[in-house]
């Protein structure tokens, strides 16, 4: 970082910088594989950290973790710094490691209610009909005050909705049992991919991402995403949820001297691939409006065509690395990338994109008046931190010394929809058991033991016992349905109505915390 409120990016015929006060106008880093995008991302992250701006970035390949260690003074970097006219000074930066799976960083979780039906439908790849049923399920949970914290809560809710489909249809719209079955199958697939580890409590506190160290440098929050990338939908949906949480929770502050947080969205094409129109429109609105919360969003991807035009128009600070034009689509991408820049009469922008060397980029940022600067062919300044991954031992040492240690490590499972619905089932069944009484009650207990309807969970049942258990569940389901309907009628006019009114959902469908 320079002393005039800018971050040094590199040098063309002059030093190319990014104005901190305009960094919340978002940005884009593009280029083919191996052209230096990660180095540019690291350079920007280091600059923001030095300026006291926290950063959140996904580490897809593991290379970004090296920012936590001093640079190695590699001869190419020392030479590049000399060519630019600066000294190469190795440095390390404050880092917090996060990991959805809790293996290479602090666990990071969200509740089902916070995720909301829109993002969940995207995650589960649901069609319009299935998404509609999921919305009904969330509405039922909202109206009945059922907390949805983890996947077992959602499964219990869907089972309840299926059992009460005929009653709910008249109030909420058509509830297809087949659609509920399809959603349950998708949840099973997600569980098989360990996606259930993302849902639960304690949920991430957004303020834990917006921290500085004792020297005033911004914390670099790194999401370990190499394993997460095995499920691209979970990766993209998680980052979308995080972006929506920032948007919903942070206050409006307008333009500040520097952002409160900068969010790097690597492999951005995963966000937009096959995304439904409603989701794309929601993302475009969030990106457009979140800058008033002093948050800058920087997309990193190979091809500028990966980003929809409505979002691309919001990205003012750009670094374009080399592209390879082997196919008609590649050639179109080169022309599109060239056309987005303010042209420089000194060179042909499209031709320059094809000729850029590793470590070079075409750079254009906003000037003092907020207008895009003329594009310049720029040699990117080398990062001060290590370029490449840190060792497992270095990572564990950072995790052990982190201020977040112990806050998210232990999962909490408090009473929520699963327990409430199970309790209702038990209470509905209790009067019937009491009515049997005496000898019949004893006989019923004996028969239950023989047929397996009173066998503890986890115990293997015989075929006869399994059939008896399913019949019992069917009967109990009918009892619970009547009970739930009665509760809804008696409570709906007072408490139920107030519960429904108290729940408000955000732009991307997530529940707003109160």
């Amino acid at each position: 970082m320079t002393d005039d409120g800018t971050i040094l990016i590199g040098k063309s015929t002059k030093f190319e910088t990014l104005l901190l006060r305009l960094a919340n106008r978002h940005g884009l880093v593009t280029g083919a594989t191996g052209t230096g995008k990660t180095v540019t991302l690291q350079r920007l992250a280091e600059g923001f950290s030095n300026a006291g701006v926290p950063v959140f970035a996904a580490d897809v390949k593991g290379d970004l973790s090296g920012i936590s260690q001093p640079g190695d003074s590699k001869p190419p970097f020392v030479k590049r710094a000399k060519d630019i006219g600066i000294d190469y000074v190795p440095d390390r930066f404050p880092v917090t490691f996060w990991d959805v799976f809790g293996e290479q960083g602090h666990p990071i979780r969200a509740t089902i209610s916070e995720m909301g039906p829109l993002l969940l439908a995207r995650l589960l790849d649901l069609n319009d009909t299935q998404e509609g049923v999921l919305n009904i399920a969330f509405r039922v949970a909202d109206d009945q005050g059922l907390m949805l914290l983890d996947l077992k809560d959602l499964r219990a809710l869907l089972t309840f909705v299926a059992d009460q489909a005929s009653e709910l249809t008249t109030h909420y719209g058509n509830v297809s049992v087949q659609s509920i079955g399809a959603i349950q199958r998708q949840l099973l697939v997600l569980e098989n991919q360990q996606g259930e580890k993302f849902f639960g409590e304690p949920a991430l506190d957004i303020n834990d991402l917006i921290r500085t160290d004792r020297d005033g440098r911004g914390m670099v929050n790194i999401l370990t995403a190499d394993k997460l990338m095995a499920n691209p939908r979970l990766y993209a949906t998680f980052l979308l949820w995080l972006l929506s949480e920032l948007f919903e929770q942070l206050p409006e502050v307008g333009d500040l001297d520097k952002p409160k947080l900068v969010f790097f969205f690597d492999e951005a094409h995963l966000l937009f691939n096959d995304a439904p129109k409603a989701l794309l429109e929601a993302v475009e609105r969030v990106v457009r409006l979140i800058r008033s919360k002093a948050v800058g969003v920087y997309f990193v991807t190979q091809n500028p065509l990966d980003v929809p035009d409505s979002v691309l128009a919001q990205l003012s600070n750009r670094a374009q690395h080399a592209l390879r034009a082997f196919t008609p689509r590649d050639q179109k991408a080169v022309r599109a990338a060239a056309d987005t820049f303010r042209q420089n009469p000194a060179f042909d922008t499209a031709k320059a994109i094809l000729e850029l060397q590793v470590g070079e980029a075409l750079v254009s940022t906003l000037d003092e008046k907020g207008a895009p600067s003329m594009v310049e062919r720029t040699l990117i300044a080398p990062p001060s931190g290590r370029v490449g991954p840190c060792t497992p031992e270095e990572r564990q040492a950072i995790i052990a010394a982190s201020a977040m240690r112990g806050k998210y490590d232990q999962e909490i499972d408090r009473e929520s929809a699963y327990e409430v619905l199970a309790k209702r089932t038990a209470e509905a069944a209790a009067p019937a058991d009491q009515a049997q009484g005496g000898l019949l009650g004893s006989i019923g207990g004996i028969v239950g033991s023989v047929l397996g309807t009173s066998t503890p969970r986890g115990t293997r049942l015989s075929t006869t016992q399994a059939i008896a258990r399913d019949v019992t569940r069917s009967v109990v389901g009918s009892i619970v349905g009547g009970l739930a309907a009665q509760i809804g009628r008696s409570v709906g006019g007072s408490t139920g109505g107030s519960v429904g009114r108290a729940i408000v959902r955000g732009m991307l469908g997530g529940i707003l915390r109160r």
Side-chain angles (χ1 to χ4, degrees), residues 126-200:
L126 304 183
N127 61 32
D128 291 344
T129 301
Q130 295 160 358
E131 183 178 350
V133 171
L134 187 63
N135 274 280
I136 290 175
F138 269 77
R139 180 60 185 273
V140 170
D142 290 351
D143 289 348
Q144 298 203 17
L146 297 173
M147 290 193 300
L148 302 177
L149 303 180
D150 51 28
L151 287 186
K152 75 177 187 299
D153 290 328
L154 182 56
R155 281 191 172 280
L157 174 66
L158 290 171
T159 300
F160 173 76
V161 170
D163 291 341
Q164 307 307 313
S166 57
E167 290 84 356
L168 296 174
T169 294
T170 58
H171 184 68
Y172 296 100
N174 187 46
V175 177
S176 167
V177 177
Q178 291 78 11
S179 293
I180 290 181
I183 298 172
Q184 294 277 33
R185 286 194 299 273
Q186 291 298 91
L187 288 175
L188 180 61
V189 172
L190 182 61
E191 288 176 349
N192 290 338
Q193 297 173 337
Q194 295 185 296
E196 79 279 359
K197 291 187 176 182
F198 173 53
F199 296 103

Side-chain angles (χ1 to χ4, degrees), residues 205-251:
D205 181 354
I206 293 299
N207 292 312
D208 285 336
L209 302 179
I210 308 175
R211 296 180 297 121
T212 57
D213 69 0
R214 65 183 64 183
D215 297 322
R217 296 197 297 178
M219 186 63 64
V220 180
N221 298 277
I222 296 180
L223 174 69
T224 304
D226 49 352
K227 184 177 179 180
L228 185 60
M229 286 298 294
N231 186 345
R233 282 188 179 272
L234 180 57
Y235 169 79
T237 306
F238 163 73
L239 292 183
L240 257 182
W241 164 78
L242 187 56
L243 192 62
S244 69
E245 286 291 289
L246 290 168
F247 175 77
E248 302 293 356
Q249 293 191 39
L250 293 180

Side-chain angles (χ1 to χ4, degrees), residues 7 18-27 48 256-259 261-262 295-298 317 366:
I7 295 173
L18 172 64
L19 279 171
L20 279 171
R21 65 180 182 83
L22 296 178
N24 65 330
R25 299 299 200 273
H26 312 316
F48 284 120
L256 303 178
D257 292 337
K258 60 185 179 183
L261 178 72
V262 171
V295 175
V297 181
Y298 287 70
N317 302 297
L366 296 181

Side-chain angles (χ1 to χ4, degrees), residues 7 15 29 40-41 69 97 99 108 134 161 171-172 178 197 201 299 350 354 380 446 457 475 491:
I7 295 173
F15 286 119
V29 180
T40 300
L41 188 160
Q69 306 299 319
F97 289 111
D99 185 358
I108 190 167
L134 187 63
V161 170
H171 184 68
Y172 296 100
Q178 291 78 11
K197 291 187 176 182
E201 290 187 316
F299 293 96
L354 299 174
I380 302 297
I446 296 172
R457 293 185 65 181
V475 173
V491 176

Side-chain angles (χ1 to χ4, degrees), residues 67-86:
I67 195 174
S68 63
Q69 306 299 319
D72 300 326
S73 299
K74 295 179 180 179
F77 285 159
V78 175
K79 181 180 183 303
R80 189 191 298 186
K82 184 178 180 180
D83 292 341
I84 292 174
I86 60 176

